[in-house]
Amino acid sequence: MIRDAVPALLTLLLVLAVSACGQPKEEQTVEKEPQIAEGPAQTEVAAKPTVPDPGVLVWVYRASGRKQCEGGGMTMQQSLARLQENGVTVQASRCGMRTDRMYPSMCGAPTGDILLHQVSMDALEATLELGYNPAEQVQYQTVECRDNSA
């Protein structure tokens, strides 16, 4: 009796397997499309532009310009003075070293030293015009400020 049931069960499994795989592709893609509910709540969220809070503080940076074996470049004091001369209030300042790039050991090559300043969000545009960039765009670690002499 079991011998007679095995071929019938195998045939039934084969039929089920073939019928399950036989869905048209159109039906499969329709089922996977996300359903978007339309309503007033979504319209309100999409209509509101994201405006940064001017009281939020952000870190900006610029390369110091220091060269290996030669020194030089901009000091922290010079960088701070440049921002202040252009009306930017600086909350804090630090020296840093970029960690997202490799710098070859070679006289005259850049060091990866950066100058970091914390400014309010409403001063960000002014700092960008002065050649600074948002520090969140790079990887770095803070380090003790170096003397820019060789």
Side-chain angles (χ1 to χ4, degrees), residues 6 8 12 15 19-20 28 31 37 43 54 57 63 72 81 102-103 120 128:
V6 171
L12 180 62
V15 169
S19 65
Q28 291 175 349
E31 290 174 11
T43 305
L57 298 177
M102 295 184 71
Y103 295 91
S120 65
L128 295 177

Side-chain angles (χ1 to χ4, degrees), residues 5 19 39 47 63-64 68-70 80 91 95 97 116 118 139 149:
S19 65
S64 72
Q68 296 178 43
C69 307
E70 298 172 9
L80 182 59
Q91 303 297 321
C95 291
M97 170 69 72
L116 297 147
Q118 191 178 42
Q139 295 176 5
S149 61

Side-chain angles (χ1 to χ4, degrees), residues 48-114:
K48 290 182 182 178
T50 305
V51 179
D53 181 6
V56 172
L57 298 177
V58 294
W59 284 96
V60 294
Y61 81 97
R62 71 169 291 143
S64 72
R66 186 172 189 272
K67 305 271 185 210
Q68 296 178 43
C69 307
E70 298 172 9
M74 185 180 283
T75 66
M76 177 59 72
Q77 292 76 18
Q78 291 169 331
S79 179
L80 182 59
R82 181 174 183 193
L83 289 171
Q84 291 172 339
E85 288 168 1
N86 287 281
V88 176
T89 302
V90 176
Q91 303 297 321
S93 297
R94 297 181 185 161
C95 291
M97 170 69 72
R98 288 192 63 170
T99 59
D100 59 344
R101 291 188 176 175
M102 295 184 71
Y103 295 91
S105 295
M106 179 173 62
C107 287
T111 61
D113 292 349
I114 58 174

